Amino acid sequence: MDMTDDSCAIVDIIEYFPNTQKDETNKQLANLYLCRQQSTGDTLYVFADCDPEKSIPFDNNVCIMKSDIKTSIPKEIVVSVPRDLVIPKGAKYVFSNLFWLLD
């Protein structure tokens, strides 16, 4: 995402996969959001914290803040998705929380 330091990317959430696992494995857990970036039309996979208070169901005009993107990417992450979900090679993804912009 090509953004200035104080900007954000606006996305529409297409599908939401909340994590249903318990933190018994000492592995990093994440919710997965399948999004469409409004400015480019690209599909983007967003791995976000499992905190229920931060969960956002399907919605439009949701923001990914550049300052919130995690640069330290875990080797392994646990998500709850259908067995037939395949993230294609070369897919765009980001580790970040999503936010609503308030007027």
Side-chain angles (χ1 to χ4, degrees):
M1 297 186 310
D2 185 23
M3 304 181 299
T4 62
D5 287 344
D6 60 348
S7 67
C8 69
I10 306 297
V11 298
D12 297 328
I13 299 172
I14 301 167
E15 205 159 351
Y16 169 53
F17 303 100
N19 195 306
T20 59
Q21 302 292 318
K22 300 285 185 212
D23 190 15
E24 299 169 358
T25 62
N26 290 332
K27 294 181 183 174
Q28 186 163 348
L29 306 177
N31 294 325
L32 176 60
Y33 295 88
L34 176 58
C35 301
R36 182 157 339 278
Q37 190 171 350
Q38 285 186 359
S39 63
T40 63
D42 290 340
T43 299
L44 182 65
Y45 295 85
V46 180
F47 296 90
D49 292 338
C50 282
D51 185 347
E53 292 182 15
K54 294 182 181 177
S55 295
I56 299 176
F58 301 98
D59 208 347
N60 295 325
N61 301 317
V62 178
C63 186
I64 300 171
M65 301 297 295
K66 182 175 183 182
S67 61
D68 194 56
I69 295 174
K70 294 170 180 54
T71 55
S72 172
I73 299 172
K75 280 188 160 188
E76 187 174 1
I77 196 160
V78 177
V79 293
S80 299
V81 297
R83 288 189 183 270
D84 62 348
L85 178 72
V86 176
I87 298 176
K89 284 189 175 193
K92 296 180 180 185
Y93 63 91
V94 66
F95 291 85
S96 179
N97 288 318
L98 298 169
F99 301 92
W100 279 300
L101 291 179
L102 301 176
D103 294 331

